[in-house]
């Protein structure tokens, strides 16, 4: 009885058991609430690799074998096995953005035909539905994301302005 009482008292504090947020989603170093909601919503538009999208948001990219992927810039990690491809966002406002992936893959962020530096990046295996999130500073120009090394054909992606 006493144990039940202690558990009930600790529950509002978030200290009672695994259901109280023991996964790694809160350990990325920045909030991913929007990304988690969008990626677990059940519907995201699916686009083929090498597509153009009008702006940032959430979508599923249908990848092709890396051997057939055409990259804008030579990938930093080379052409390893797995699936890959690119997607270009036609318009994006300048600022800091978070790019988040549902599965393991490498990513190059490209503007003006040059690879941009990643400001921060975290890869986790203990956050259901999210494997990688990174932050980059972007100019108001088309943005190309290059992917490779994925073991899945469908990669969920969000590109959102940092809060």
């Amino acid at each position: 009885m006493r144990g039940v009482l202690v558990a009930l008292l600790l529950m509002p504090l978030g200290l009672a058991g695994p259901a109280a947020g023991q996964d790694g989603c809160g350990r990325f170093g920045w909030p991913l609430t929007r990304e988690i909601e969008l990626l677990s919503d059940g519907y995201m538009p699916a686009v083929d690799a090498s597509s153009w999208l009008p702006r940032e948001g959430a979508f599923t990219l249908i990848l092709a074998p890396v051997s057939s992927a055409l990259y804008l810039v030579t990938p930093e990690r080379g052409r390893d096995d797995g699936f890959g491809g690119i997607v270009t966002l036609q318009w994006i406002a300048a600022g800091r953005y978070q790019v988040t992936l549902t599965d393991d893959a490498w990513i190059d962020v490209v503007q003006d035909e040059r690879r941009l530096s990643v400001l921060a990046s975290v890869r986790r295996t203990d956050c259901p539905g999210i494997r990688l999130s990174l932050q980059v500073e972007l100019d108001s120009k088309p943005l190309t994301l290059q992917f490779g090394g994925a073991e899945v054909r469908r990669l969920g992606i969000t590109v959102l302005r940092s809060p």
Side-chain angles (χ1 to χ4, degrees), residues 82-140:
F83 298 100
I86 69 169
V87 63
T88 300
L89 307 177
Q90 293 176 335
W91 187 88
I92 198 154
R96 190 174 188 143
Y97 284 79
Q98 291 176 189
V99 180
T100 303
L101 310 180
T102 57
D103 293 278
D104 285 323
W106 57 255
I107 179 174
D108 288 328
V109 180
V110 178
Q111 275 192 321
D112 276 341
E113 297 186 19
R114 66 179 218 288
R115 188 179 305 100
L116 301 181
S117 297
V118 173
L119 302 174
S121 173
V122 179
R123 186 177 302 272
R124 301 202 60 89
T125 58
D126 57 353
C127 178
I130 295 182
R131 289 294 171 262
L132 171 70
S133 187
L134 57 87
Q135 295 186 349
V136 291
E137 191 72 32
L138 301 176
D139 291 329
S140 242

Side-chain angles (χ1 to χ4, degrees), residues 19-32:
Q22 294 289 328
D23 64 37
C25 296
R27 297 185 191 136
F28 275 89
W30 50 84
L32 291 173

Side-chain angles (χ1 to χ4, degrees), residues 10-112:
L10 292 177
M11 233 186 265
L13 299 175
L15 301 173
Q22 294 289 328
D23 64 37
C25 296
R27 297 185 191 136
F28 275 89
W30 50 84
L32 291 173
T33 307
R34 299 173 305 160
E35 290 82 351
I36 291 169
E37 283 180 26
L38 289 168
L39 293 169
S40 64
D41 188 26
Y43 174 77
M44 288 191 308
V47 297
D48 290 325
S50 299
S51 292
W52 285 71
L53 296 175
R55 58 186 311 267
E56 77 274 4
F59 55 93
T60 299
L61 186 63
I62 310 300
L63 302 173
V66 167
S67 60
S68 66
L70 299 174
Y71 294 113
L72 184 63
V73 174
T74 302
E76 185 174 47
R77 288 154 201 83
R79 291 179 160 270
D80 51 13
D81 292 334
F83 298 100
I86 69 169
V87 63
T88 300
L89 307 177
Q90 293 176 335
W91 187 88
I92 198 154
R96 190 174 188 143
Y97 284 79
Q98 291 176 189
V99 180
T100 303
L101 310 180
T102 57
D103 293 278
D104 285 323
W106 57 255
I107 179 174
D108 288 328
V109 180
V110 178
Q111 275 192 321
D112 276 341

